[in-house]
Each structure stands twice: as C-alpha cells, then as structure tokens.
Amino acid sequence: MRKLFIPLFSVAVLVSCGTAKNSGGAASPATSSDAKGDKAFLAAYKEITTADLKKNLYVIASDEMEGRDTGSPGQKKAGEYMINYYKGLGISYPKALGSYYQKVPADFMKKRGGGNLPDSENILAFIEGSEKPEEIVVVSAHYDHVGTQNGVVYNGADDDGSGTVGVMEIAKAFQSARKAGNGPKRSILFLHVTGEEHGLFGSEYYTDNPVFPLANTVVDLNIDMIGRDDPENRGKQYVYVIGSEMLSSELKVINEAANKKTNTLELNYKYDDPKDTQRLYYRSDHYNFAKNNVPVAFFFDGIHEDYHKPTDDAEKIDYELLKKRTQLVFATAWEIANRPARIVVDKK
C-alpha cells in the first residue's frame, strides 16, 4: 500500500458504521434455494487453499524478485510467473488487449510525479461471462513493491504479495467453476496493477485507458495487504473493509452476506470514518475506480510493524487467515457476478 504523503484536505464524507462484531469460528457456506448454484459455489470456494497461497507467495515475495519495484527486472520476473500461472489454468487475457500486458509508459508516470521510473506493465487475466459478458467485475491488487534499498531486499510479502496471490487464487476458483460448466454470468477481470507504491499509477492508467468501458464495470474489489494483523487486532479473525457503501447501497450488504456464508470474519469499518487521519480510502488502487463512479470495496489488514520494512517476509504471513479473507472476496465476487441485476450506483 502507498505511504501517506498527501496533505489533509476536505473530502467527501464516508459513511461510518463502527465495527461489525461478526464473531465466531469458521462456518460452512449456507445453503440457498438455488441448489445447483450453491453446489457450484461450494466446489469453487474449496479451490482456495492455504497450500497454494503459500506456494505462490514464497515465489512472488522471494529475494529473486528484488522487491518488485516498478519497471524493475525483478518485477518483470514476478509478472512472468503470474502469467505462466494463468496460462497453466487456461485463463487468457482480454481479446481487445492482445496479451496479458497493458503497458504503463514512463512518460505517463513522470507527468504524475513518478520521477524517472521506467516503462512498466499492468497484468490482466480474464474470464468471459456466460450471460452478461459486457458487464465486468474487477478483482484487483498491485504487484509492485519498493524494491531494494542499500542492498537490502524489501520483499513485500504482505504489501502486496498477499493481495497478488489472493487474486490468483480467486481466478483459479472461478476457472474451476467454469470448467465444470458453472462459469460466471458476468465477466471477471483479474487486474494486477503496477506503480501503486509510487502513486497509484497503474490503476490510474487503467481507468484512463480502460480495456472495457468503465460504464460497464460493475465493481472493483481491491485487495491490498490481507496476510497479517495489526496491533489493534492481534490474534483476531478480522478484516478491514473500506468504501463498500460509498457509491452503492447494495455492495456492503452483499459483502456482509458473503461473510456470513463463509468464515464469519469480524468486518471492521474503522477506516470508513470521515475523521480518519490515515486517509486509507484514497491510498490504494480502488480509489481510481471510485473517482470514476465505480463501486468499490477495499480489503485490508491494517498497518503492522513490518509495513514498508525489509522484514515483511513470507514466513510471517498467517496463511489460514489469508485464505479466509481471500474466500470472502471470492464469495462477494461470485454473488456480484451471478446475481440477476448488476449492483446499483445510487450514492455520490
């Protein structure tokens, strides 16, 4: 996640609901009246495993990737690993793009304060919807980090290796359903953006140059740091959810229902507070969708002691909690992708 360098100024008021204490242990997804749909969901949901999350994160956050700084050779290696993963699953890229890569030019980043960053790339994988292919559900995470400083590699296992591998697992789950004849009704775009740490550049470039019209983009579910806990919530089964009712009266309701259907995490809305000095609503890639009137939900674990330090390593991740949070995002995306009507945009 991007560090806070923005001065405080007047902002739109976020709706604050404090903390929803949905406490309790893991629960099996509830049954529904749509038996076939419920069975398909369950089968796909179970594809998200701690073993695969761990396997992929130990690669993405390895020293070999050199901290994945924007446009660096290490980041490109991480990108190649991700693309090979998608190829192995049989998940392709948007046809209009012609490859998994969307180039983010150096000139674009430089004009926005990116200094002398080299050209970089967003990585896009895509599953076309079976009934409403023109409507797009975006699941996003940034795959860059801060690179190597004074010869020390900053691996960024949580920031945002955890979100990166979460998106990869969600893609695997949707693809398994598709292969079983239960593909999503709406299309799913798995969007890995670059340049987040330097200024949300990759997501800004995408929303300025969308592969699919933003008018057809139903939601952005953004994952940025979901593998650890912060001091305030040490040992809890929780996740911060930010922005879910800023633009749509339905998104928060859907996410809370998905939570009850899965692992009943404690959903913490602390950072929806308009007085929040951390300004987290504005500090990750979902914001570039929100400012274009696309509903968003940002999933986050908080600021912990290894944030933006070289000690943010893969062995410190809570993989069981990472799995539960990833399953929550998947369950939310599944409902949004398969419900009869797209979610409303009824707030400003």
Side-chain angles (χ1 to χ4, degrees):
M1 187 181 69
R2 187 187 182 195
K3 275 197 171 181
L4 178 59
F5 296 115
I6 313 167
L8 296 177
F9 52 89
S10 297
V11 298
V13 174
L14 305 182
V15 180
S16 175
C17 292
T19 301
K21 299 286 185 180
N22 295 329
S23 59
S28 297
T31 57
S32 73
S33 58
D34 183 356
K36 181 174 183 285
D38 188 66
K39 185 177 179 181
F41 167 77
L42 266 172
Y45 171 88
K46 291 177 180 177
E47 290 290 317
I48 297 171
T49 67
T50 56
D52 284 348
L53 287 162
K54 188 172 185 177
K55 175 184 174 182
N56 288 324
L57 187 53
Y58 264 83
V59 176
I60 295 294
S62 67
D63 286 351
E64 183 183 354
M65 305 308 175
E66 301 172 342
R68 307 187 309 278
D69 198 8
T70 300
S72 68
Q75 189 201 33
K76 293 181 187 298
K77 285 181 185 177
E80 289 168 3
Y81 177 83
M82 292 152 57
I83 288 171
N84 286 333
Y85 174 88
Y86 285 121
K87 287 179 177 178
L89 292 174
I91 300 176
S92 192
Y93 45 78
K95 292 177 182 176
L97 193 59
S99 79
Y100 292 96
Y101 291 114
Q102 182 188 44
K103 181 180 176 180
V104 180
D107 286 348
F108 176 87
M109 294 185 280
K110 187 172 184 178
K111 288 176 183 176
R112 286 155 175 78
N116 295 314
L117 292 172
D119 291 343
S120 189
E121 302 85 24
N122 292 330
I123 293 175
L124 287 69
F126 183 69
I127 294 177
E128 187 171 68
S130 59
E131 295 182 16
K132 302 174 184 289
E134 74 286 354
E135 295 185 13
I136 311 298
V137 174
V138 178
V139 183
S140 65
H142 72 92
Y143 73 108
D144 64 303
H145 192 52
V146 299
T148 300
Q149 300 178 22
N150 300 317
V152 178
V153 178
Y154 286 60
N155 286 316
D158 195 28
D159 187 11
D160 185 27
S162 62
T164 299
V165 299
V167 173
M168 293 163 69
E169 280 291 280
I170 291 167
K172 182 183 73 173
F174 272 110
Q175 181 69 344
S176 70
R178 179 173 174 268
K179 287 182 175 179
N182 299 305
K185 294 178 181 179
R186 293 177 177 82
S187 297
I188 315 288
L189 176 63
F190 306 99
L191 177 62
H192 299 273
V193 292
T194 188
E196 192 270 356
E197 298 288 8
H198 292 278
L200 314 185
F201 296 139
S203 55
E204 183 177 10
Y205 188 81
Y206 178 84
T207 54
D208 284 359
N209 303 274
V211 176
F212 303 100
L214 292 182
N216 292 349
T217 301
V218 175
V219 70
D220 174 42
L221 304 178
N222 184 49
I223 313 173
D224 192 351
M225 298 174 58
I226 58 165
R228 298 281 297 273
D229 56 12
D230 65 7
E232 184 177 333
N233 294 281
R234 193 108 300 155
K236 294 182 181 179
Q237 300 290 294
Y238 78 100
V239 67
Y240 291 107
V241 185
I242 300 168
S244 62
E245 59 182 354
M246 277 287 286
L247 294 170
S248 173
S249 60
E250 294 178 335
L251 179 53
K252 182 177 180 179
V253 175
I254 289 169
N255 185 63
E256 290 188 339
N259 186 50
K260 290 178 181 178
K261 188 178 182 180
T262 54
N263 292 301
T264 57
L265 297 171
E266 179 181 311
L267 304 182
N268 192 314
Y269 298 104
K270 171 184 176 178
Y271 293 115
D272 270 353
D273 189 330
K275 297 178 182 178
D276 167 38
T277 58
Q278 296 288 335
R279 292 180 48 79
L280 290 169
Y281 179 71
Y282 304 90
R283 287 173 56 188
S284 192
D285 295 295
H286 59 280
Y287 180 64
N288 282 316
F289 286 90
K291 74 181 186 182
N292 284 285
N293 218 35
V294 176
V296 302
F298 168 29
F299 300 86
F300 177 59
D301 61 24
I303 304 295
H304 53 72
E305 55 271 22
D306 294 309
Y307 171 67
H308 276 229
K309 293 182 180 178
T311 46
D312 182 8
D313 292 324
E315 61 265 25
K316 293 186 176 181
I317 297 295
D318 182 338
Y319 287 95
E320 184 63 23
L321 187 52
L322 172 57
K323 181 189 77 170
K324 290 177 180 180
R325 290 164 171 165
T326 301
Q327 287 174 328
L328 169 59
V329 180
F330 167 72
T332 304
W334 178 276
E335 170 61 24
I336 294 170
N338 289 298
R339 69 202 310 262
R342 66 181 286 177
I343 61 172
V344 298
V345 181
D346 55 358
K347 295 188 177 184
K348 295 290 184 182

